[in-house]
PDB file of all heavy atoms in Angstrom:
ATOM      1  N   ARG A   1       7.117 -12.819  -7.360  1.00  0.00           N
ATOM      2  CA  ARG A   1       7.254 -11.819  -8.457  1.00  0.00           C
ATOM      3  C   ARG A   1       6.841 -10.524  -7.833  1.00  0.00           C
ATOM      4  O   ARG A   1       7.238 -10.235  -6.777  1.00  0.00           O
ATOM      5  CB  ARG A   1       6.418 -12.287  -9.647  1.00  0.00           C
ATOM      6  CG  ARG A   1       7.016 -13.559 -10.248  1.00  0.00           C
ATOM      7  CD  ARG A   1       6.391 -13.971 -11.512  1.00  0.00           C
ATOM      8  NE  ARG A   1       6.800 -12.992 -12.580  1.00  0.00           N
ATOM      9  CZ  ARG A   1       6.405 -13.052 -13.799  1.00  0.00           C
ATOM     10  NH1 ARG A   1       5.611 -14.047 -14.173  1.00  0.00           N
ATOM     11  NH2 ARG A   1       6.795 -12.176 -14.693  1.00  0.00           N
ATOM     12  N   SER A   2       5.994  -9.757  -8.485  1.00  0.00           N
ATOM     13  CA  SER A   2       5.615  -8.423  -7.916  1.00  0.00           C
ATOM     14  C   SER A   2       4.340  -8.533  -7.099  1.00  0.00           C
ATOM     15  O   SER A   2       4.040  -7.562  -6.420  1.00  0.00           O
ATOM     16  CB  SER A   2       5.466  -7.449  -9.083  1.00  0.00           C
ATOM     17  OG  SER A   2       4.539  -7.870 -10.018  1.00  0.00           O
ATOM     18  N   GLY A   3       3.618  -9.620  -7.210  1.00  0.00           N
ATOM     19  CA  GLY A   3       2.266  -9.663  -6.524  1.00  0.00           C
ATOM     20  C   GLY A   3       2.367  -9.892  -5.035  1.00  0.00           C
ATOM     21  O   GLY A   3       1.505  -9.385  -4.311  1.00  0.00           O
ATOM     22  N   THR A   4       3.302 -10.610  -4.586  1.00  0.00           N
ATOM     23  CA  THR A   4       3.432 -10.915  -3.168  1.00  0.00           C
ATOM     24  C   THR A   4       4.326  -9.924  -2.445  1.00  0.00           C
ATOM     25  O   THR A   4       5.439  -9.647  -2.895  1.00  0.00           O
ATOM     26  CB  THR A   4       4.017 -12.350  -3.011  1.00  0.00           C
ATOM     27  OG1 THR A   4       3.122 -13.253  -3.584  1.00  0.00           O
ATOM     28  CG2 THR A   4       4.135 -12.708  -1.515  1.00  0.00           C
ATOM     29  N   LYS A   5       3.799  -9.396  -1.346  1.00  0.00           N
ATOM     30  CA  LYS A   5       4.584  -8.481  -0.523  1.00  0.00           C
ATOM     31  C   LYS A   5       5.206  -9.248   0.605  1.00  0.00           C
ATOM     32  O   LYS A   5       4.500  -9.835   1.415  1.00  0.00           O
ATOM     33  CB  LYS A   5       3.703  -7.364   0.031  1.00  0.00           C
ATOM     34  CG  LYS A   5       2.925  -6.604  -1.006  1.00  0.00           C
ATOM     35  CD  LYS A   5       3.809  -5.858  -2.028  1.00  0.00           C
ATOM     36  CE  LYS A   5       2.989  -5.102  -2.992  1.00  0.00           C
ATOM     37  NZ  LYS A   5       3.515  -5.145  -4.316  1.00  0.00           N
ATOM     38  N   VAL A   6       6.552  -9.260   0.634  1.00  0.00           N
ATOM     39  CA  VAL A   6       7.245  -9.979   1.778  1.00  0.00           C
ATOM     40  C   VAL A   6       7.564  -8.902   2.832  1.00  0.00           C
ATOM     41  O   VAL A   6       8.570  -8.227   2.808  1.00  0.00           O
ATOM     42  CB  VAL A   6       8.545 -10.651   1.225  1.00  0.00           C
ATOM     43  CG1 VAL A   6       9.209 -11.451   2.333  1.00  0.00           C
ATOM     44  CG2 VAL A   6       8.192 -11.525   0.027  1.00  0.00           C
ATOM     45  N   THR A   7       6.624  -8.774   3.735  1.00  0.00           N
ATOM     46  CA  THR A   7       6.723  -7.765   4.790  1.00  0.00           C
ATOM     47  C   THR A   7       7.505  -8.207   5.980  1.00  0.00           C
ATOM     48  O   THR A   7       7.850  -9.390   6.114  1.00  0.00           O
ATOM     49  CB  THR A   7       5.281  -7.379   5.228  1.00  0.00           C
ATOM     50  OG1 THR A   7       4.693  -8.533   5.824  1.00  0.00           O
ATOM     51  CG2 THR A   7       4.417  -6.929   4.091  1.00  0.00           C
ATOM     52  N   LYS A   8       7.712  -7.284   6.868  1.00  0.00           N
ATOM     53  CA  LYS A   8       8.412  -7.595   8.110  1.00  0.00           C
ATOM     54  C   LYS A   8       7.702  -8.664   8.922  1.00  0.00           C
ATOM     55  O   LYS A   8       8.321  -9.576   9.462  1.00  0.00           O
ATOM     56  CB  LYS A   8       8.573  -6.294   8.966  1.00  0.00           C
ATOM     57  CG  LYS A   8       9.432  -6.460  10.183  1.00  0.00           C
ATOM     58  CD  LYS A   8       9.640  -5.122  10.879  1.00  0.00           C
ATOM     59  CE  LYS A   8      10.733  -5.257  11.915  1.00  0.00           C
ATOM     60  NZ  LYS A   8      11.138  -3.935  12.411  1.00  0.00           N
ATOM     61  N   LYS A   9       6.304  -8.604   8.934  1.00  0.00           N
ATOM     62  CA  LYS A   9       5.564  -9.605   9.611  1.00  0.00           C
ATOM     63  C   LYS A   9       5.772 -10.999   9.004  1.00  0.00           C
ATOM     64  O   LYS A   9       5.850 -11.998   9.734  1.00  0.00           O
ATOM     65  CB  LYS A   9       4.092  -9.249   9.596  1.00  0.00           C
ATOM     66  CG  LYS A   9       3.706  -8.055  10.414  1.00  0.00           C
ATOM     67  CD  LYS A   9       2.195  -7.775  10.301  1.00  0.00           C
ATOM     68  CE  LYS A   9       1.829  -6.555  11.099  1.00  0.00           C
ATOM     69  NZ  LYS A   9       0.380  -6.279  10.894  1.00  0.00           N
ATOM     70  N   VAL A  10       5.807 -11.045   7.689  1.00  0.00           N
ATOM     71  CA  VAL A  10       6.040 -12.342   7.006  1.00  0.00           C
ATOM     72  C   VAL A  10       7.410 -12.900   7.343  1.00  0.00           C
ATOM     73  O   VAL A  10       7.590 -14.062   7.670  1.00  0.00           O
ATOM     74  CB  VAL A  10       5.870 -12.183   5.460  1.00  0.00           C
ATOM     75  CG1 VAL A  10       6.315 -13.471   4.743  1.00  0.00           C
ATOM     76  CG2 VAL A  10       4.436 -11.834   5.100  1.00  0.00           C
ATOM     77  N   ILE A  11       8.430 -12.029   7.314  1.00  0.00           N
ATOM     78  CA  ILE A  11       9.846 -12.433   7.596  1.00  0.00           C
ATOM     79  C   ILE A  11       9.945 -12.915   9.064  1.00  0.00           C
ATOM     80  O   ILE A  11      10.599 -13.874   9.312  1.00  0.00           O
ATOM     81  CB  ILE A  11      10.768 -11.270   7.277  1.00  0.00           C
ATOM     82  CG1 ILE A  11      10.854 -11.099   5.767  1.00  0.00           C
ATOM     83  CG2 ILE A  11      12.147 -11.519   7.831  1.00  0.00           C
ATOM     84  CD1 ILE A  11      11.478  -9.865   5.226  1.00  0.00           C
ATOM     85  N   LYS A  12       9.255 -12.193   9.995  1.00  0.00           N
ATOM     86  CA  LYS A  12       9.314 -12.699  11.371  1.00  0.00           C
ATOM     87  C   LYS A  12       8.722 -14.038  11.584  1.00  0.00           C
ATOM     88  O   LYS A  12       9.160 -14.818  12.429  1.00  0.00           O
ATOM     89  CB  LYS A  12       8.626 -11.661  12.246  1.00  0.00           C
ATOM     90  CG  LYS A  12       9.449 -10.441  12.592  1.00  0.00           C
ATOM     91  CD  LYS A  12       8.841  -9.578  13.650  1.00  0.00           C
ATOM     92  CE  LYS A  12       9.754  -8.382  13.948  1.00  0.00           C
ATOM     93  NZ  LYS A  12       9.365  -7.701  15.164  1.00  0.00           N
ATOM     94  N   ALA A  13       7.718 -14.337  10.749  1.00  0.00           N
ATOM     95  CA  ALA A  13       7.080 -15.676  10.843  1.00  0.00           C
ATOM     96  C   ALA A  13       7.893 -16.800  10.188  1.00  0.00           C
ATOM     97  O   ALA A  13       7.629 -17.965  10.408  1.00  0.00           O
ATOM     98  CB  ALA A  13       5.667 -15.595  10.246  1.00  0.00           C
ATOM     99  N   ALA A  14       8.825 -16.400   9.363  1.00  0.00           N
ATOM    100  CA  ALA A  14       9.574 -17.374   8.503  1.00  0.00           C
ATOM    101  C   ALA A  14      10.742 -17.949   9.284  1.00  0.00           C
ATOM    102  O   ALA A  14      11.895 -17.578   9.132  1.00  0.00           O
ATOM    103  CB  ALA A  14      10.066 -16.662   7.295  1.00  0.00           C
ATOM    104  N   ARG A  15      10.477 -18.922  10.134  1.00  0.00           N
ATOM    105  CA  ARG A  15      11.535 -19.525  11.000  1.00  0.00           C
ATOM    106  C   ARG A  15      12.618 -20.242  10.266  1.00  0.00           C
ATOM    107  O   ARG A  15      13.745 -20.229  10.676  1.00  0.00           O
ATOM    108  CB  ARG A  15      10.822 -20.407  12.010  1.00  0.00           C
ATOM    109  CG  ARG A  15       9.969 -19.731  13.019  1.00  0.00           C
ATOM    110  CD  ARG A  15       9.385 -20.681  14.052  1.00  0.00           C
ATOM    111  NE  ARG A  15       8.029 -20.289  14.348  1.00  0.00           N
ATOM    112  CZ  ARG A  15       6.927 -20.725  13.809  1.00  0.00           C
ATOM    113  NH1 ARG A  15       6.941 -21.642  12.928  1.00  0.00           N
ATOM    114  NH2 ARG A  15       5.758 -20.247  14.143  1.00  0.00           N
ATOM    115  N   LYS A  16      12.314 -20.866   9.165  1.00  0.00           N
ATOM    116  CA  LYS A  16      13.266 -21.693   8.459  1.00  0.00           C
ATOM    117  C   LYS A  16      13.810 -21.007   7.199  1.00  0.00           C
ATOM    118  O   LYS A  16      14.708 -21.506   6.518  1.00  0.00           O
ATOM    119  CB  LYS A  16      12.650 -23.008   7.979  1.00  0.00           C
ATOM    120  CG  LYS A  16      12.206 -23.929   9.119  1.00  0.00           C
ATOM    121  CD  LYS A  16      11.628 -25.149   8.558  1.00  0.00           C
ATOM    122  CE  LYS A  16      11.077 -26.070   9.670  1.00  0.00           C
ATOM    123  NZ  LYS A  16      10.393 -27.279   9.120  1.00  0.00           N
ATOM    124  N   LEU A  17      13.222 -19.892   6.807  1.00  0.00           N
ATOM    125  CA  LEU A  17      13.500 -19.220   5.546  1.00  0.00           C
ATOM    126  C   LEU A  17      14.977 -18.778   5.444  1.00  0.00           C
ATOM    127  O   LEU A  17      15.452 -18.119   6.356  1.00  0.00           O
ATOM    128  CB  LEU A  17      12.591 -18.030   5.332  1.00  0.00           C
ATOM    129  CG  LEU A  17      12.456 -17.510   3.885  1.00  0.00           C
ATOM    130  CD1 LEU A  17      11.833 -18.579   2.999  1.00  0.00           C
ATOM    131  CD2 LEU A  17      11.593 -16.238   3.902  1.00  0.00           C
ATOM    132  N   GLU A  18      15.615 -19.179   4.375  1.00  0.00           N
ATOM    133  CA  GLU A  18      17.011 -18.819   4.131  1.00  0.00           C
ATOM    134  C   GLU A  18      17.213 -17.848   2.942  1.00  0.00           C
ATOM    135  O   GLU A  18      18.183 -17.079   2.921  1.00  0.00           O
ATOM    136  CB  GLU A  18      17.859 -20.078   3.848  1.00  0.00           C
ATOM    137  CG  GLU A  18      17.889 -21.027   4.980  1.00  0.00           C
ATOM    138  CD  GLU A  18      18.578 -22.333   4.624  1.00  0.00           C
ATOM    139  OE1 GLU A  18      19.624 -22.290   3.948  1.00  0.00           O
ATOM    140  OE2 GLU A  18      18.071 -23.414   5.071  1.00  0.00           O
ATOM    141  N   ILE A  19      16.216 -17.880   2.017  1.00  0.00           N
ATOM    142  CA  ILE A  19      16.356 -17.049   0.804  1.00  0.00           C
ATOM    143  C   ILE A  19      14.957 -16.698   0.300  1.00  0.00           C
ATOM    144  O   ILE A  19      14.056 -17.516   0.302  1.00  0.00           O
ATOM    145  CB  ILE A  19      17.167 -17.772  -0.229  1.00  0.00           C
ATOM    146  CG1 ILE A  19      17.466 -16.862  -1.437  1.00  0.00           C
ATOM    147  CG2 ILE A  19      16.594 -19.104  -0.677  1.00  0.00           C
ATOM    148  CD1 ILE A  19      18.513 -17.411  -2.466  1.00  0.00           C
ATOM    149  N   VAL A  20      14.870 -15.484  -0.213  1.00  0.00           N
ATOM    150  CA  VAL A  20      13.710 -15.020  -0.948  1.00  0.00           C
ATOM    151  C   VAL A  20      14.229 -14.638  -2.363  1.00  0.00           C
ATOM    152  O   VAL A  20      15.136 -13.806  -2.480  1.00  0.00           O
ATOM    153  CB  VAL A  20      13.005 -13.779  -0.353  1.00  0.00           C
ATOM    154  CG1 VAL A  20      11.834 -13.324  -1.227  1.00  0.00           C
ATOM    155  CG2 VAL A  20      12.491 -14.148   1.061  1.00  0.00           C
ATOM    156  N   ALA A  21      13.666 -15.279  -3.364  1.00  0.00           N
ATOM    157  CA  ALA A  21      14.089 -15.001  -4.715  1.00  0.00           C
ATOM    158  C   ALA A  21      12.990 -14.256  -5.496  1.00  0.00           C
ATOM    159  O   ALA A  21      11.864 -14.719  -5.524  1.00  0.00           O
ATOM    160  CB  ALA A  21      14.423 -16.294  -5.437  1.00  0.00           C
ATOM    161  N   ARG A  22      13.339 -13.141  -6.003  1.00  0.00           N
ATOM    162  CA  ARG A  22      12.381 -12.368  -6.805  1.00  0.00           C
ATOM    163  C   ARG A  22      12.613 -12.686  -8.288  1.00  0.00           C
ATOM    164  O   ARG A  22      13.669 -12.459  -8.852  1.00  0.00           O
ATOM    165  CB  ARG A  22      12.593 -10.850  -6.567  1.00  0.00           C
ATOM    166  CG  ARG A  22      11.927  -9.915  -7.585  1.00  0.00           C
ATOM    167  CD  ARG A  22      10.407  -9.905  -7.456  1.00  0.00           C
ATOM    168  NE  ARG A  22       9.803  -9.281  -8.609  1.00  0.00           N
ATOM    169  CZ  ARG A  22       9.525  -7.986  -8.760  1.00  0.00           C
ATOM    170  NH1 ARG A  22       9.849  -7.187  -7.820  1.00  0.00           N
ATOM    171  NH2 ARG A  22       8.988  -7.542  -9.830  1.00  0.00           N
ATOM    172  N   ALA A  23      11.575 -13.282  -8.922  1.00  0.00           N
ATOM    173  CA  ALA A  23      11.652 -13.621 -10.316  1.00  0.00           C
ATOM    174  C   ALA A  23      11.287 -12.403 -11.102  1.00  0.00           C
ATOM    175  O   ALA A  23      10.220 -12.208 -11.624  1.00  0.00           O
ATOM    176  CB  ALA A  23      10.693 -14.756 -10.662  1.00  0.00           C
ATOM    177  N   GLY A  24      12.268 -11.451 -11.137  1.00  0.00           N
ATOM    178  CA  GLY A  24      12.027 -10.189 -11.770  1.00  0.00           C
ATOM    179  C   GLY A  24      13.201  -9.223 -11.443  1.00  0.00           C
ATOM    180  O   GLY A  24      14.126  -9.615 -10.751  1.00  0.00           O
ATOM    181  N   VAL A  25      13.016  -7.994 -11.867  1.00  0.00           N
ATOM    182  CA  VAL A  25      14.092  -6.997 -11.743  1.00  0.00           C
ATOM    183  C   VAL A  25      14.248  -6.434 -10.321  1.00  0.00           C
ATOM    184  O   VAL A  25      15.337  -6.473  -9.754  1.00  0.00           O
ATOM    185  CB  VAL A  25      13.892  -5.860 -12.713  1.00  0.00           C
ATOM    186  CG1 VAL A  25      14.924  -4.804 -12.567  1.00  0.00           C
ATOM    187  CG2 VAL A  25      13.925  -6.392 -14.174  1.00  0.00           C
ATOM    188  N   GLY A  26      13.227  -5.862  -9.804  1.00  0.00           N
ATOM    189  CA  GLY A  26      13.325  -5.144  -8.522  1.00  0.00           C
ATOM    190  C   GLY A  26      13.125  -6.039  -7.345  1.00  0.00           C
ATOM    191  O   GLY A  26      12.805  -7.213  -7.430  1.00  0.00           O
ATOM    192  N   VAL A  27      13.300  -5.409  -6.166  1.00  0.00           N
ATOM    193  CA  VAL A  27      13.064  -6.125  -4.886  1.00  0.00           C
ATOM    194  C   VAL A  27      12.206  -5.171  -3.953  1.00  0.00           C
ATOM    195  O   VAL A  27      12.266  -5.313  -2.784  1.00  0.00           O
ATOM    196  CB  VAL A  27      14.303  -6.556  -4.172  1.00  0.00           C
ATOM    197  CG1 VAL A  27      14.950  -7.720  -4.926  1.00  0.00           C
ATOM    198  CG2 VAL A  27      15.328  -5.447  -4.013  1.00  0.00           C
ATOM    199  N   ASP A  28      11.456  -4.230  -4.555  1.00  0.00           N
ATOM    200  CA  ASP A  28      10.715  -3.250  -3.802  1.00  0.00           C
ATOM    201  C   ASP A  28       9.579  -3.853  -3.045  1.00  0.00           C
ATOM    202  O   ASP A  28       9.075  -3.183  -2.159  1.00  0.00           O
ATOM    203  CB  ASP A  28      10.207  -2.156  -4.759  1.00  0.00           C
ATOM    204  CG  ASP A  28       9.389  -2.678  -5.895  1.00  0.00           C
ATOM    205  OD1 ASP A  28       9.787  -3.675  -6.501  1.00  0.00           O
ATOM    206  OD2 ASP A  28       8.319  -2.060  -6.168  1.00  0.00           O
ATOM    207  N   ASN A  29       9.171  -5.037  -3.307  1.00  0.00           N
ATOM    208  CA  ASN A  29       8.070  -5.693  -2.602  1.00  0.00           C
ATOM    209  C   ASN A  29       8.607  -6.610  -1.505  1.00  0.00           C
ATOM    210  O   ASN A  29       7.855  -7.373  -0.891  1.00  0.00           O
ATOM    211  CB  ASN A  29       7.241  -6.552  -3.548  1.00  0.00           C
ATOM    212  CG  ASN A  29       8.080  -7.590  -4.342  1.00  0.00           C
ATOM    213  OD1 ASN A  29       9.135  -7.336  -4.724  1.00  0.00           O
ATOM    214  ND2 ASN A  29       7.466  -8.747  -4.494  1.00  0.00           N
ATOM    215  N   ILE A  30       9.926  -6.510  -1.187  1.00  0.00           N
ATOM    216  CA  ILE A  30      10.527  -7.298  -0.121  1.00  0.00           C
ATOM    217  C   ILE A  30      11.146  -6.346   0.898  1.00  0.00           C
ATOM    218  O   ILE A  30      11.879  -5.435   0.509  1.00  0.00           O
ATOM    219  CB  ILE A  30      11.620  -8.236  -0.684  1.00  0.00           C
ATOM    220  CG1 ILE A  30      10.957  -9.150  -1.735  1.00  0.00           C
ATOM    221  CG2 ILE A  30      12.284  -9.064   0.397  1.00  0.00           C
ATOM    222  CD1 ILE A  30      11.998  -9.872  -2.610  1.00  0.00           C
ATOM    223  N   ASP A  31      10.852  -6.544   2.154  1.00  0.00           N
ATOM    224  CA  ASP A  31      11.480  -5.706   3.206  1.00  0.00           C
ATOM    225  C   ASP A  31      12.923  -6.134   3.422  1.00  0.00           C
ATOM    226  O   ASP A  31      13.205  -7.100   4.210  1.00  0.00           O
ATOM    227  CB  ASP A  31      10.610  -5.858   4.508  1.00  0.00           C
ATOM    228  CG  ASP A  31      11.049  -4.862   5.554  1.00  0.00           C
ATOM    229  OD1 ASP A  31      12.246  -4.522   5.640  1.00  0.00           O
ATOM    230  OD2 ASP A  31      10.187  -4.454   6.340  1.00  0.00           O
ATOM    231  N   ILE A  32      13.802  -5.492   2.719  1.00  0.00           N
ATOM    232  CA  ILE A  32      15.246  -5.819   2.752  1.00  0.00           C
ATOM    233  C   ILE A  32      15.833  -5.697   4.134  1.00  0.00           C
ATOM    234  O   ILE A  32      16.544  -6.595   4.576  1.00  0.00           O
ATOM    235  CB  ILE A  32      16.036  -4.989   1.723  1.00  0.00           C
ATOM    236  CG1 ILE A  32      15.479  -5.235   0.332  1.00  0.00           C
ATOM    237  CG2 ILE A  32      17.538  -5.364   1.771  1.00  0.00           C
ATOM    238  CD1 ILE A  32      15.799  -6.552  -0.308  1.00  0.00           C
ATOM    239  N   PRO A  33      15.605  -4.556   4.831  1.00  0.00           N
ATOM    240  CA  PRO A  33      16.170  -4.490   6.206  1.00  0.00           C
ATOM    241  C   PRO A  33      15.745  -5.601   7.122  1.00  0.00           C
ATOM    242  O   PRO A  33      16.552  -6.123   7.887  1.00  0.00           O
ATOM    243  CB  PRO A  33      15.712  -3.117   6.662  1.00  0.00           C
ATOM    244  CG  PRO A  33      15.501  -2.296   5.432  1.00  0.00           C
ATOM    245  CD  PRO A  33      14.977  -3.299   4.426  1.00  0.00           C
ATOM    246  N   ALA A  34      14.467  -5.993   7.101  1.00  0.00           N
ATOM    247  CA  ALA A  34      13.938  -7.043   7.960  1.00  0.00           C
ATOM    248  C   ALA A  34      14.585  -8.372   7.542  1.00  0.00           C
ATOM    249  O   ALA A  34      14.958  -9.148   8.418  1.00  0.00           O
ATOM    250  CB  ALA A  34      12.473  -7.121   7.885  1.00  0.00           C
ATOM    251  N   ALA A  35      14.691  -8.587   6.275  1.00  0.00           N
ATOM    252  CA  ALA A  35      15.341  -9.855   5.787  1.00  0.00           C
ATOM    253  C   ALA A  35      16.802  -9.931   6.207  1.00  0.00           C
ATOM    254  O   ALA A  35      17.287 -10.950   6.664  1.00  0.00           O
ATOM    255  CB  ALA A  35      15.163  -9.937   4.256  1.00  0.00           C
ATOM    256  N   THR A  36      17.506  -8.793   6.042  1.00  0.00           N
ATOM    257  CA  THR A  36      18.924  -8.747   6.438  1.00  0.00           C
ATOM    258  C   THR A  36      19.087  -9.036   7.916  1.00  0.00           C
ATOM    259  O   THR A  36      19.949  -9.785   8.326  1.00  0.00           O
ATOM    260  CB  THR A  36      19.481  -7.362   6.058  1.00  0.00           C
ATOM    261  OG1 THR A  36      19.367  -7.190   4.682  1.00  0.00           O
ATOM    262  CG2 THR A  36      20.972  -7.273   6.423  1.00  0.00           C
ATOM    263  N   GLU A  37      18.213  -8.423   8.726  1.00  0.00           N
ATOM    264  CA  GLU A  37      18.294  -8.591  10.161  1.00  0.00           C
ATOM    265  C   GLU A  37      18.058 -10.060  10.556  1.00  0.00           C
ATOM    266  O   GLU A  37      18.610 -10.599  11.492  1.00  0.00           O
ATOM    267  CB  GLU A  37      17.227  -7.721  10.840  1.00  0.00           C
ATOM    268  CG  GLU A  37      17.332  -7.703  12.373  1.00  0.00           C
ATOM    269  CD  GLU A  37      16.268  -6.777  12.951  1.00  0.00           C
ATOM    270  OE1 GLU A  37      16.184  -5.659  12.486  1.00  0.00           O
ATOM    271  OE2 GLU A  37      15.584  -7.232  13.875  1.00  0.00           O
ATOM    272  N   ALA A  38      17.165 -10.732   9.791  1.00  0.00           N
ATOM    273  CA  ALA A  38      16.852 -12.127  10.033  1.00  0.00           C
ATOM    274  C   ALA A  38      17.827 -13.121   9.393  1.00  0.00           C
ATOM    275  O   ALA A  38      17.703 -14.311   9.557  1.00  0.00           O
ATOM    276  CB  ALA A  38      15.417 -12.451   9.573  1.00  0.00           C
ATOM    277  N   GLY A  39      18.816 -12.576   8.663  1.00  0.00           N
ATOM    278  CA  GLY A  39      19.805 -13.439   8.037  1.00  0.00           C
ATOM    279  C   GLY A  39      19.257 -14.101   6.779  1.00  0.00           C
ATOM    280  O   GLY A  39      19.790 -15.134   6.370  1.00  0.00           O
ATOM    281  N   ILE A  40      18.232 -13.530   6.183  1.00  0.00           N
ATOM    282  CA  ILE A  40      17.666 -14.119   4.962  1.00  0.00           C
ATOM    283  C   ILE A  40      18.256 -13.402   3.699  1.00  0.00           C
ATOM    284  O   ILE A  40      18.201 -12.190   3.630  1.00  0.00           O
ATOM    285  CB  ILE A  40      16.149 -13.986   4.990  1.00  0.00           C
ATOM    286  CG1 ILE A  40      15.586 -14.743   6.177  1.00  0.00           C
ATOM    287  CG2 ILE A  40      15.514 -14.452   3.680  1.00  0.00           C
ATOM    288  CD1 ILE A  40      14.079 -14.440   6.466  1.00  0.00           C
ATOM    289  N   LEU A  41      18.780 -14.211   2.792  1.00  0.00           N
ATOM    290  CA  LEU A  41      19.318 -13.691   1.559  1.00  0.00           C
ATOM    291  C   LEU A  41      18.187 -13.302   0.605  1.00  0.00           C
ATOM    292  O   LEU A  41      17.203 -14.022   0.476  1.00  0.00           O
ATOM    293  CB  LEU A  41      20.189 -14.760   0.926  1.00  0.00           C
ATOM    294  CG  LEU A  41      20.922 -14.434  -0.364  1.00  0.00           C
ATOM    295  CD1 LEU A  41      21.942 -13.345  -0.133  1.00  0.00           C
ATOM    296  CD2 LEU A  41      21.605 -15.707  -0.902  1.00  0.00           C
TER     297      LEU A  41
END
C-alpha cells in the first residue's frame, strides 16, 4: 500500500519478483524506472 517503499535496492535484491501490486491509487512509493529495467510489472 503506501507504507512500504519499493526502492531500487529492494528491486535489485528481488531475483524472482515478477510483479509489484499497489493496493491503492498511486505508485509513487515504487521505483518505476528500476522495476521496468528489471522487467518487473
Side-chain angles (χ1 to χ4, degrees):
R1 293 189 70 181
S2 58
T4 299
K5 306 297 181 219
V6 185
T7 64
K8 188 173 191 169
K9 290 179 184 178
V10 171
I11 290 168
K12 282 189 175 193
R15 292 182 216 96
K16 297 179 183 178
L17 199 63
E18 298 174 39
I19 185 168
V20 176
R22 164 72 194 270
V25 176
V27 290
D28 56 315
N29 57 320
I30 303 167
D31 188 327
I32 302 288
T36 301
E37 186 178 312
I40 298 170
L41 182 64

